[in-house]
């Protein structure tokens, strides 16, 4: 198909050769014949021309009258003839040469080639100008005039700024029925079999019901089929969160570009600075200590004795194999690792731990637990299952059990940051960092009665990565449990920093990880989907990346604090010769 011709930003020119002729090659004009002003030269030749014409005509008439042969010429006749030709040539050169040239000469082919190239360049420039790039200085950024007959093509927007207008009569009827309550909003997907249309109708009905506009909440740009029964019910759009990249983060000898979805300014930049300091110091080492998701149902008996009987049964190593066979029936990937029980009177809390492959594993572990509970009913018919989750798991709540026992992936990550990097990149010192860590992350958090909160801002990094990679953002509660340690090493020149995080709950399959944008972020990290070679390898790698990114974040924020506040306050209150008692009073 022929490409449409793009218009040029230049004014339309006549089809004249545009090739420039060098000055030294320029042909002289007839007016250059005499070294006189142009108007004088012209007047001279005009006078000469008409004088000799008059003279020659007079001579011609005289010869006819005297019957003299025309070819007999006198000396004055010869001079007159020469003057005639000279003045004729001059006048022709001055006034008529352009006209004669335009009739006699055609432009040479290479001149047109040159012009064609110029036209092509204009087309290319016009093409470039249509790209959405910032205006460069070299480019003409003025808007090209629109071709008069061309239809105006509005670029398709990723989001709708206006409330969705539903056009068909059938849609209008549906909106009315949702508004008046005859059609439940939740049933739209199953009724229509078109998730996008269902969302549009629900959205319009919601706007009419509430009288509030949803303009600004995009509807287009999300695959509504992909969230059905998996990620979100009754959708009316989606919220946009910008994704920034920190890195390269060098961990275990590999570089990662870490996607962070956040609306907190400086967070990505700060983490990026930490990544730089780690990279310049040779990288971080991240070690996975444990990998097991937990679920703890609560069961009740008539007596504490019966609850204790079940506890002893479940924790007896001889029964483990039987229980694991029952548990493992539910999934190829869920493998029972252990059972720990806690008694509260007649109530028993049974904490099952299992590996879950590349899935975060909540569904998987719950299915396995249900199998075991069903199995136990035979030997313990008096067992009353209060709930499949009895909060001893513990999911999405700060709990010491996760802090001590771990949940999901337990990771420790360390790096030795060189003294000169701390000085040049982080603008602080080893000594200041060690002191700040002791007073803030350890002592300060102890004073606050922290539970797993012995860090500066682990949850910032955890949550940003979780949002970007489709993790369950509510699990940032226990996933952000972290103790940050700092110590001077190499005779005080360098800094050893570590983060220990016992409950990083991540997966690379299931939940939000399969959505297009989240999946792209996992792909960037090289951990998208299920690991083909070793099930679980992708989610474990992701956990080590999360811990390393937290290390970078801790390093950078702590340095900012040390450089900005602590050092200054040290100078003011600890190291100056000022009488502090006077200053404070
Ligand atoms: P979760 O347990 O984290 O909620 P889902 O149950 O939603 O996760 O997703 C796990 C699903 O993915 C299971 O059906 C499981 O069989 C499947 N699956 C495929 N490959 C893997 C893998 N490598 N690791 C874990 N699960 C996998």
């Amino acid at each position: 198909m022929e490409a449409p011709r793009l218009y040029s930003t230049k004014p339309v020119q006549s089809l004249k050769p545009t090739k420039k002729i060098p000055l030294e090659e320029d042909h002289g004009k007839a007016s250059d014949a005499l070294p006189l002003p142009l108007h004088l030269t012209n007047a001279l030749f005009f006078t000469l021309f008409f004088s000799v014409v008059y003279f020659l005509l007079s001579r011609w008439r005289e010869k006819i009258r005297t019957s003299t042969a025309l070819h007999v010429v006198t000396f004055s006749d010869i001079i007159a003839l020469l003057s005639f030709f000279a003045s004729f040539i001059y006048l022709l050169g001055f006034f008529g040469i352009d006209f004669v040239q335009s009739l006699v000469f055609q432009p040479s082919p290479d001149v047109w080639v040159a012009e064609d190239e110029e036209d092509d360049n204009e087309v290319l420039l016009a093409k470039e100008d249509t790209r959405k790039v910032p205006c460069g200085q070299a480019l003409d950024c003025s808007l090209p005039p629109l071709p008069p007959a061309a239809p105006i093509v509005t670029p398709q927007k990723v989001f709708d700024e206006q409330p969705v207008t539903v056009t068909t009569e059938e849609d209008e009827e549906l909106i009315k029925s949702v508004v008046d309550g005859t059609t439940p909003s939740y049933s739209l997907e199953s009724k229509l079999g078109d998730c996008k249309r269902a969302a549009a109708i629900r959205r319009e009905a919601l706007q009419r019901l509430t009288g509030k506009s949803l303009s600004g909440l995009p509807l287009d740009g999300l695959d509504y089929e992909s969230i059905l029964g998996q990620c979100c019910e009754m959708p009316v759009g989606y919220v946009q969160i910008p994704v920034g990249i920190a890195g390269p983060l060098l961990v275990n000898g590999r570089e990662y570009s870490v996607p962070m979805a956040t609306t907190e300014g400086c967070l990505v930049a700060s983490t990026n600075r930490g990544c730089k300091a780690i990279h310049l110091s040779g990288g971080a080492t991240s070690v996975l200590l444990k990998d097991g998701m937990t679920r703890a149902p609560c069961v009740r008996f008539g007596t504490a004795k019966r609850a204790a009987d079940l506890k002893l049964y479940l924790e007896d190593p001889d029964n483990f194999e039987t229980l694991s066979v029952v548990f493992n029936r539910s999934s190829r990937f869920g493998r029972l690792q252990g059972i720990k029980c806690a008694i509260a009177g007649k109530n028993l809390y049974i904490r099952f731990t299992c590996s879950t492959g590349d899935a975060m594993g909540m569904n998987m572990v719950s299915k396995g637990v249900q199998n075991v509970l069903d199995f136990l009913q035979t030997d313990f018919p008096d067992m009353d299952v209060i709930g499949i989750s009895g909060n001893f798991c513990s999911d999405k709540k700060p709990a010491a059990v996760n802090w001590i026992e771990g949940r999901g992936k337990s990771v420790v990550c360390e790096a030795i940051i060189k003294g000169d990097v701390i000085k040049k990149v982080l603008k602080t010192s080893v000594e200041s960092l060690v002191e700040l860590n002791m007073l803030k992350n350890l002592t300060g958090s102890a004073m606050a009665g922290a539970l797993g909160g012995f860090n500066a801002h682990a949850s910032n990094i955890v949550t940003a990565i979780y949002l970007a990679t489709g993790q369950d953002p509510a699990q940032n509660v226990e996933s952000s449990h972290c103790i940050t340690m700092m110590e001077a090493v190499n005779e005080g020149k360098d800094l050893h920093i570590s983060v220990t995080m016992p409950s990083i709950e991540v997966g690379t399959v299931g939940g939000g990880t399969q959505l297009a944008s989240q999946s792209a972020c996992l792909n960037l990290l090289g951990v998208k989907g299920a690991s083909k070679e070793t099930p679980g390898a992708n989610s474990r790698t992701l956990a080590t990346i999360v811990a390393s990114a937290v290390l970078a974040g801790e390093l950078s924020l702590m340095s900012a604090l040390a450089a900005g506040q602590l050092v200054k306050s040290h100078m003011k209150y600890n190291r100056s010769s000022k009488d502090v008692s006077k200053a404070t009073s």
Side-chain angles (χ1 to χ4, degrees):
M1 205 176 83
E2 201 185 338
R5 183 167 172 87
L6 289 168
Y7 42 85
S8 158
T9 55
K10 281 194 171 184
V12 179
Q13 290 172 348
S14 66
L15 283 176
K16 267 170 78 175
T18 52
K19 194 176 175 182
K20 281 228 163 200
I21 299 163
L23 278 178
E24 52 271 29
E25 280 180 33
D26 206 352
H27 303 296
K29 281 207 165 192
S31 56
D32 299 334
L34 290 176
L36 290 172
L38 188 62
H39 63 279
L40 281 181
T41 318
N42 285 347
L44 186 69
F45 277 96
F46 261 110
T47 313
L48 183 66
F49 179 77
F50 287 110
S51 305
V52 294
V53 166
Y54 177 76
F55 174 79
L56 286 171
L57 285 174
S58 310
R59 286 284 297 138
W60 191 13
R61 200 174 52 190
E62 197 182 319
K63 279 182 185 175
I64 291 168
R65 202 158 21 97
T66 57
S67 303
T68 312
L70 286 177
H71 62 272
V72 178
V73 287
T74 60
F75 180 71
S76 58
D77 289 345
I78 292 168
I79 296 292
L81 279 170
L82 287 175
S83 301
F84 171 79
F85 284 119
S87 57
F88 178 76
I89 287 167
Y90 172 86
L91 293 174
L92 182 70
F94 190 83
F95 295 105
I97 202 76
D98 276 358
F99 174 71
V100 173
Q101 270 182 349
S102 70
L103 289 178
V104 174
F105 300 109
Q106 289 297 323
S108 72
D110 62 320
V111 171
W112 296 117
V113 168
E115 194 191 28
D116 284 348
E117 279 170 5
E118 204 171 86
D119 277 357
D120 286 348
N121 287 341
E122 285 168 16
V123 171
L124 282 176
L125 269 180
K127 270 184 191 165
E128 280 186 355
D129 285 351
T130 61
R131 294 180 309 176
K132 289 189 173 52
V133 294
C135 292
Q137 280 184 338
L139 285 178
D140 177 7
C141 297
S142 56
L143 288 175
L146 286 173
I152 296 167
V153 181
T154 317
Q156 210 175 1
K157 290 200 170 118
V158 178
F159 57 87
D160 56 322
E161 283 166 349
Q162 300 302 319
V164 178
T165 46
V166 186
T167 45
T168 69
E169 267 179 37
E170 195 192 343
D171 287 348
E172 187 56 40
E173 284 306 309
L174 267 168
I175 293 165
K176 282 184 186 148
S177 71
V178 173
V179 171
D180 66 25
T182 47
T183 299
S185 178
Y186 64 79
S187 69
L188 285 168
E189 275 78 4
S190 57
K191 201 177 174 100
L192 295 170
D194 178 344
C195 295
K196 168 81 187 294
R197 198 169 146 224
I201 287 167
R202 177 179 298 114
R203 180 188 172 102
E204 186 59 28
L206 181 67
Q207 291 186 125
R208 291 186 195 178
L209 269 169
T210 59
K212 301 277 193 296
S213 168
L214 284 175
S215 168
L217 183 79
L219 174 72
D220 291 329
L222 181 69
D223 176 8
Y224 288 88
E225 317 292 329
S226 70
I227 63 169
L228 183 69
Q230 180 101 20
C231 297
C232 183
E233 299 74 39
M234 298 200 280
V236 291
Y238 60 96
V239 167
Q240 296 160 304
I241 306 176
V243 174
I245 295 293
L249 174 62
L250 182 60
V251 54
N252 297 341
R254 285 190 62 184
E255 286 185 345
Y256 298 95
S257 296
V258 184
M260 300 174 73
T262 183
T263 51
E264 186 184 347
C266 289
L267 178 60
V268 180
S270 173
T271 312
N272 194 52
R273 183 174 77 140
C275 291
K276 184 180 176 187
I278 292 169
H279 206 294
L280 289 172
S281 301
T285 305
S286 202
V287 183
L288 190 103
L289 306 165
K290 246 195 222 180
D291 179 12
M293 183 43 68
T294 64
R295 180 55 97 198
C298 170
V299 297
R300 185 169 58 188
F301 288 90
T303 62
K305 165 78 174 61
R306 283 295 288 160
D309 286 346
L310 180 57
K311 176 177 161 57
L312 294 174
Y313 172 83
L314 290 170
E315 290 179 347
D316 185 345
D318 290 344
N319 297 325
F320 183 78
E321 206 179 325
T322 313
L323 292 169
S324 62
V325 168
V326 174
F327 184 100
N328 296 347
R329 266 188 219 139
S330 60
S331 166
R332 287 180 291 151
F333 302 97
R335 291 290 169 266
L336 186 66
Q337 292 175 345
I339 303 172
K340 275 204 173 158
C341 301
I343 273 195
K346 303 181 290 176
N347 307 300
L348 184 67
Y349 297 84
I350 316 161
R351 195 170 190 258
F352 293 85
T353 307
C354 81
S355 56
T356 57
D358 286 307
M360 180 274 290
M362 284 301 301
N363 284 331
M364 214 177 273
V365 68
S366 299
K367 285 183 208 159
V369 167
Q370 189 60 55
N371 289 349
V372 174
L373 290 177
D374 294 344
F375 170 79
L376 290 173
Q377 291 285 356
T378 317
D379 287 342
F380 297 87
D382 52 338
M383 179 181 78
D384 187 9
V385 179
I386 300 299
I388 191 147
S389 169
N391 271 11
F392 188 51
C393 314
S394 171
D395 194 39
K396 303 176 184 174
K397 279 126 348 226
V401 70
N402 293 336
W403 174 236
I404 297 164
E405 295 287 333
R407 188 169 199 253
K409 277 88 173 147
S410 305
V411 181
V412 63
C413 180
E414 68 181 338
I416 293 176
I417 311 299
K418 291 179 185 150
D420 61 330
V421 173
I422 291 177
K423 203 170 146 196
K424 285 187 192 133
V425 178
L426 302 172
K427 316 275 187 244
T428 184
S429 65
V430 174
E431 194 192 9
S432 304
L433 278 170
V434 171
E435 188 168 29
L436 176 64
N437 192 64
M438 192 265 289
L439 291 175
K440 171 186 166 67
N441 287 344
L442 305 183
T443 315
S445 295
M447 295 303 291
L451 179 57
F454 301 94
N455 58 77
H457 69 148
S459 71
N460 257 338
I461 289 89
V462 168
T463 308
I465 300 177
Y466 274 30
L467 288 172
T469 59
Q471 309 306 315
D472 187 335
Q475 289 184 320
N476 80 86
V477 175
E478 60 271 32
S479 294
S480 301
H481 283 346
C482 169
I483 184 163
T484 300
M485 305 289 289
M486 291 190 195
E487 207 180 304
V489 292
N490 300 335
E491 290 149 5
K493 287 205 301 287
D494 304 329
L495 175 82
H496 181 275
I497 176 171
S498 68
V499 292
T500 308
M501 303 180 68
S503 319
I504 300 178
E505 296 150 331
V506 288
T508 57
V509 296
T513 63
Q514 40 93 29
L515 300 179
S517 45
Q518 290 85 336
S519 178
C521 290
L522 286 170
N523 191 43
L524 179 70
L525 293 170
V527 294
K528 179 182 162 183
S531 165
K532 303 273 179 303
E533 301 81 38
T534 320
N538 279 352
S539 63
R540 285 181 204 135
T541 303
L542 180 57
T544 60
I545 295 168
V546 169
S548 317
V550 167
L551 187 91
E554 289 291 281
L555 189 58
S556 186
L557 177 58
M558 290 294 283
S559 299
L561 288 172
Q565 277 94 50
L566 199 81
V567 173
K568 273 188 205 145
S569 65
H570 270 216
M571 298 307 290
K572 196 171 173 186
Y573 295 115
N574 289 355
R575 309 230 168 111
S576 74
S577 52
K578 242 193 218 167
D579 184 344
V580 177
S581 62
K582 270 188 196 158
T584 47
S585 67

